Structure formats: C-alpha cells, structure tokens
Amino acid sequence: DTEVTQTPKHLVMGMTNKKSLKCEQHMGHRAMYWYKQKAKKPPELMFVYSYEKLSINESVPSRFSPECPNSSLLNLHLHALQPEDSALYLCASSQGWPGRGGSPLHFGNGTRLTVT
Amino acid sequence: AQSVTQPDIHITVSEGASLELRCNYSYGATPYLFWYVQSPGQGLQLLLKYFSGDTLVQGIKGFEAEFKRSQSSFNLRKPSVHWSDAAEYFCAVVDSSYKLIFGSGTRLLVRP
C-alpha cells in the first residue's frame, strides 16, 4: 500500500471545466512534488513544494495551479485544459530534497486524467 | 547537465532466469542514484538507492544494483525473475538542482 494517497483515481473533464487533484501524505515529509507522465514515457517534474512554499515551477502553463494548504496536503487545480494535457499525474513526497541526505521520493498511484 | 540513460527499451526473460537492466549516468561528482519500478496503472515504487559507501546495494523484492564509477553505470540485477516482476523500470539520478531526473525506462516482459 502506498503512503501517498491521491484522489480521484480517474478524472474526465472538458476543456472548460475546473477540477482539482488532491494528494495527502502523513509521513511528516516536508517536500512534495507533482509529476506528469505520458504513456510510455518517464515522469516529468512539474512543481516542487518545500516547507509549504513553492520552490520549483518547471515552466508549467498557468492552466495548472498548485497549492499546498499544509504540510500534509498538496492540490493541483486545473482550468481550461487541452486534450494534450491528458496524462497520469503523480504526486510524491520526500523527507527533504533528494540530493541532501539522499531522501528518496515516495509516489502515490496517480490520477489518470482525460481531457475531452 | 546530468542525465541518465537506459539503453534497453524492452527486455524479455524467462521466469526463473536472471535479469540485468542497464543504467548509465552522466554526473561529475558522486551521484545519488535510484531504481524505481512501475506496474501498469500504478505509481512508482522505490527498489533501492545509492549515495555512498558499499557499491553493491540491496533492495526490496530480491533486487540489487552495483555502482561502477569507472563505467558510470548502476545496473539492476535479480538472480531469478518471477512473473510478477513484469513492469516498467526507471533509473534516476539527482541533478545539481536536487531534482530527480529519470531515464526513459525499460519494460520487462517475463515469459512463463
């Protein structure tokens, strides 16, 4: 069982809809991440939060809006998405930055998003 | 820039046979290296990690990996593959910005 919980598991939305993806962890981790994964491709980093502050935005379009309400929760707000945004969205968390002390990332099972 | 290469897109092995998945990295200093496994429709599960010390690293599910600085490699091995090992395997390295960079992945198929 994964210790990072993502909801919903599947989401279908139209291009004019507004929806949110949710992620929760209770491991006391202070870094949280959003990754996007297209079929047969590796995950691509979108955002990183460290101590509830946005640390990295990998030039993601503004139709994706992250939010970290507290140290256990991470949201990804979606608005006016395009069909090419259809993908598996993965949330992850780590005790600290992966290169400092080697904290590994723990991943959730993802939300499968389809934009119609 | 740091990078990681997995030269094999697909590998097929018979159940019970040994397995080696290749990973080559590009990094100036001692890298932080990881292997993750992803089953269809699932997230990524950490198999093992290397930071320093013993170059042979033991992981979960009977996997191990060996860090070879001279070859810039971190290959994943398992002595006897089970059908449940069929999945996508990703090697990853931490770059200078402390971001995790993934290789393109190797899909493992297991013949009965």
Side-chain angles (χ1 to χ4, degrees):
Chain A
D1 290 336
T2 181
E3 297 169 324
V4 177
T5 304
Q6 291 187 242
T7 55
K9 292 183 179 180
H10 301 274
L11 178 63
V12 179
M13 60 185 292
M15 289 189 285
T16 59
N17 291 159
K18 286 185 179 181
K19 297 287 185 183
S20 297
L21 309 184
K22 298 185 182 301
C23 175
E24 187 170 6
Q25 59 88 14
H26 294 289
M27 295 178 282
H29 289 174
R30 302 318 298 263
M32 296 188 76
Y33 310 74
W34 281 114
Y35 279 83
K36 173 182 178 180
Q37 186 179 25
K38 302 285 278 185
K40 302 186 187 299
K41 296 292 185 181
E44 296 178 351
L45 182 64
M46 300 175 71
F47 303 104
V48 182
Y49 274 82
S50 178
Y51 289 86
E52 301 160 45
K53 293 185 178 179
L54 184 63
S55 297
I56 294 177
N57 177 343
E58 291 286 275
S59 301
V60 178
S62 60
R63 58 185 183 270
F64 295 91
S65 176
E67 178 195 22
C68 189
N70 60 55
S71 60
S72 299
L73 295 174
L74 186 65
N75 298 322
L76 186 61
H77 303 297
L78 314 172
H79 174 54
L81 294 193
Q82 303 298 310
E84 58 265 29
D85 296 321
S86 299
L88 181 68
Y89 288 84
L90 294 163
C91 175
S93 69
S94 64
Q95 180 64 40
W97 286 100
R100 293 181 179 173
S103 300
L105 271 64
H106 297 254
F107 285 84
N109 285 330
T111 294
R112 176 73 60 187
L113 174 67
T114 302
V115 182
T116 60
Chain B
Q2 293 80 23
S3 65
V4 58
T5 302
Q6 295 180 247
D8 303 305
I9 297 175
H10 296 101
I11 281 187
T12 301
V13 300
S14 297
E15 190 168 16
S18 63
L19 170 70
E20 183 169 27
L21 302 182
R22 295 184 292 165
C23 173
N24 294 99
Y25 66 89
S26 171
Y27 192 71
T30 300
Y32 292 102
L33 294 159
F34 303 82
W35 274 100
Y36 283 86
V37 61
Q38 185 176 32
S39 297
Q42 300 293 310
L44 281 74
Q45 182 181 23
L46 178 70
L47 288 175
L48 46 78
K49 60 186 179 184
Y50 173 78
F51 304 136
S52 63
D54 193 345
T55 57
L56 184 62
V57 180
Q58 301 297 319
I60 63 171
K61 303 186 178 186
F63 286 93
E64 67 178 25
E66 186 170 12
F67 172 67
K68 293 186 177 179
R69 183 186 301 277
S70 62
Q71 299 177 19
S72 297
S73 69
F74 187 56
N75 294 347
L76 182 70
R77 301 194 295 247
K78 186 170 185 178
S80 178
V81 169
H82 188 263
W83 65 266
S84 60
D85 293 324
E88 188 86 21
Y89 290 80
F90 292 100
C91 183
V93 66
V94 175
D95 73 4
S96 55
S97 301
Y98 303 107
K99 294 185 291 186
L100 193 62
I101 307 299
F102 289 92
S104 55
T106 297
R107 178 160 296 278
L108 174 65
L109 304 174
V110 180
R111 281 193 297 256

